Amino acid sequence: MKTYRKELWFEIPTRRAFVNITGQVQQCIDDSGIREGLALVNAMHITASVFINDDEPGLHHDYDAWLEKLAPHEPVSQYRHNVGEDNADAHMKRQVMGREVVVAVTGGRLDFGTWEQIFYGEFDGRRRKRVLVKIIGE
Ligand code: ZN
């Protein structure tokens, strides 16, 4: 069995954003030489997510509006976590959108369903953060 590990780095200039990282994950599979196996992709920060859904801007706008209703950023004083911090909402948004995805690798490609793409979800940006890609297989 082969294994492959890589950290993808991001520095999002805004507090919140969704970034399609499918191409970068596929590049990791290409570099790994693994044809059959599993790819794990996870955020290495507790205020960011990795998830799979459609690459459709209206949907991403809807996610952001929905998450802001669930856990509004302002007023920051509404959260107990925000004693010396202002990112309680980002922890909650990450919890809803998830930590990681696992995707089958078949024939050297991400074995997706229709319209599936992998996204990095940033909820407390403007600093360097990492995503781990781990691939196992042969
Ligand atoms: Zn925090």
Side-chain angles (χ1 to χ4, degrees):
M1 188 188 75
K2 287 190 219 171
T3 70
Y4 174 93
R5 181 187 190 278
K6 185 165 185 188
E7 293 175 5
L8 306 176
W9 285 86
F10 300 92
E11 185 164 0
I12 305 296
T14 52
R15 180 177 290 275
R16 295 192 304 274
F18 299 120
V19 179
N20 188 333
I21 62 171
T22 308
Q24 290 174 78
V25 176
Q26 182 60 53
Q27 186 62 55
C28 291
I29 295 170
D30 295 347
D31 295 345
S32 75
I34 292 169
R35 303 280 302 163
E36 298 294 324
L38 293 172
L40 165 75
V41 187
N42 68 268
M44 299 182 82
H45 299 264
I46 53 181
T47 54
S49 290
V50 171
F51 64 94
I52 290 180
N53 217 296
D54 193 2
D55 194 357
E56 197 282 300
L59 179 65
H60 296 176
H61 176 273
D62 294 342
Y63 275 144
D64 191 54
W66 175 63
L67 290 165
E68 267 295 286
K69 273 188 220 161
L70 284 175
H73 177 64
E74 301 277 0
V76 295
S77 61
Q78 73 191 299
Y79 299 106
R80 285 197 195 175
H81 178 65
N82 286 347
V83 178
E85 292 206 57
D86 69 350
N87 68 359
D89 67 302
H91 290 275
M92 293 175 185
K93 287 163 176 148
R94 176 261 171 79
Q95 204 68 33
V96 168
M97 297 303 282
R99 172 182 181 265
E100 78 278 308
V101 300
V102 178
V103 184
V105 176
T106 304
R109 306 290 301 170
L110 289 160
D111 199 343
F112 283 139
T114 307
W115 302 115
E116 286 191 325
Q117 296 280 289
I118 305 172
F119 294 90
Y120 175 67
E122 178 62 83
F123 306 116
D124 186 20
R126 298 173 295 190
R127 56 197 167 101
R128 277 168 58 75
K129 292 164 87 167
R130 291 176 293 167
V131 166
L132 177 66
V133 179
K134 181 85 181 196
I135 307 165
I136 59 171
E138 55 191 357

